[in-house]
Each structure stands twice: as C-alpha cells, then as structure tokens.
Amino acid sequence: MRAEMMSEMRVAPSILSADFARLGDQVATVMDAGARVIHVDVMDGHFVPPITIGPLIVNALAGQVHGAGGVLDVHLMIERPERHVQAFADAGADAITVHLEATAHVNFALNAVKEAGCRAGLALNPGTPAVAVTEVADLVDHVLCMTVNPGWGGQSFIESSIDKLTRLRGLLPASCTIEVDGGVDTETAPRCADAGATLFVAGSHVFGAPDPAQRYQALAASIGSI
Ligand code: DX5
Ligand code: ZN
C-alpha cells in the first residue's frame, strides 16, 4: 500500500509555503526530486487563526500525486476534525492527522479516519505533554509532534521538542511513526532523527528557496533518506 511510505525515513514537503498560483508545478518539482509524501496543511481560522485550504485542493492534487507514486499527508488544524474526515478521505487523502487539542472526541475521530481507509495520525501542540498519547496509542499510525506552534510557516524550531521526541519514542510502539512539523531544516532534522523521528515536514526550507529541488535533496541527505 502506498501509504506505507509514511513509515520510511522521508522528507514531506509542505505546500503551505508553495506558490499557489503554480501549485501543480511546485509539487512536480519536489516529486521529480524524490519526494513521495506531500504534506497539506488545513487551517480553519478557529483552531488556528489563518484559513488555508480544504478538500477541493486535496482533490485537485490527488491525481498528480498518486500518479507519480506519492501520498497525500493531510494535517487538519481545524476544530471538530471528525466532522470533515470523510470529505478529505473522499478527496484523496492517504493519511489524516487530527489534533488532540481540537476535539473532545479524539478516540472517535481517529476511528473515523481508519474507517475511512486512511492512515491515522495524532498531532500534539508544543504545550501538550507527550504522555497524552498513551490512551490512543493503539489507534494511531503516526504521531505528529509540532515543533513550532501551529498556524504559520517559517517559525523557529522549539528546542525542547528534542526531549519531547525522546519521551514520545519511549511511549509509543515501534510500529508508530513519529513525524515532526515546524522549523525543520538541515540543522534540526538530524537531531530530530537521533531522537526518534522518521518523517520530516518542511515548508519554508524547501519552497521558500529559489531551488526547492536542491533544498529537498539536501534535507533528505541530512537524514540519510533518498
Ligand atoms: C504549521 C504547519 C507546518 C508548516 C511548517 O502550522 O503545520 O506544516 O508548513 O512550516 P515550516 O517548515 O516553514 O516551519
Ligand atoms: Zn503541518
């Protein structure tokens, strides 16, 4: 299954920092450079202040990404995510990540993701303790550890995240992937890898540069990925 790629040591470019006027070209650039996990940041103006994109854009990219052998990794920064899981699954999401802080019904939300046929991810804000994952650890395929506060690209990596990653790795079964998101670059990614992360979301470091392909490849090389 394609989504197994989410378990490998990989960089996942985040389209949040891409040029939306030529989104398909930007995705093609990083996929030609080797990317196979494309990270999509969905924001609702409530859970986080900005509003970004929804299922329409996931659907618009699905044919291209799947056709090139990739997967769509959808990060929902929205309140009550369980209400929108099916729409994102129908649009072509391969993995759907919900925030623990965004719903009182996180067990229900994660089950909804799995029932929709997607890999289920649980995201934690920087202020949420690692131990919070334990009650749903058996339901999650990956834990997304926010290494900045959610809502914006281009922020600085929060240093205390390294110790948190070590705690998460100790709490989670080996089958559960740890994804890091925020401030990931060639300096922070290897340190996150040493602490147990294997999936590295990068927005501004890749798309904020004149040559996203070169940035993608350098970042992948920094963690020993392809
Ligand atoms: C932030 C998003 C990130 C964002 C990361 O809320 O979840 O995925 O794109 O951006 P950078 O890599 O610029 O920190
Ligand atoms: Zn994200």
Side-chain angles (χ1 to χ4, degrees), residues 14 39-41 75 77 144 146 181 201:
S14 163
H39 186 83
V40 180
D41 288 303
H75 177 191
M77 285 163 275
L144 186 160
M146 288 301 311
D181 188 358
V201 177

Side-chain angles (χ1 to χ4, degrees), residues 162 185-195 200 219 222-223:
I162 299 293
D185 59 23
T186 51
E187 191 274 322
T188 56
R191 293 194 288 125
C192 292
D194 288 345
F200 302 80
L219 187 52
S222 80
I223 52 154

Side-chain angles (χ1 to χ4, degrees), residues 3-28:
E4 294 306 319
M5 285 185 289
M6 297 270 303
S7 305
E8 299 169 357
M9 187 71 100
R10 285 191 179 273
V11 172
S14 163
I15 62 169
L16 183 65
S17 294
D19 178 352
F20 276 69
R22 49 193 188 96
L23 188 53
D25 290 346
Q26 297 260 278
V27 169

Side-chain angles (χ1 to χ4, degrees), residues 137-195:
D138 58 330
L139 291 177
V140 296
D141 296 300
H142 59 275
V143 166
L144 186 160
C145 180
M146 288 301 311
T147 43
V148 299
N149 284 295
W152 300 271
Q155 301 178 77
S156 297
F157 183 85
I158 296 173
E159 280 300 324
S160 59
S161 305
I162 299 293
D163 287 345
K164 185 173 181 179
L165 289 168
T166 303
R167 289 194 293 279
L168 281 170
R169 191 64 281 168
L171 288 164
L172 293 165
S175 58
C176 183
T177 295
I178 298 180
E179 180 173 23
V180 285
D181 188 358
V184 171
D185 59 23
T186 51
E187 191 274 322
T188 56
R191 293 194 288 125
C192 292
D194 288 345

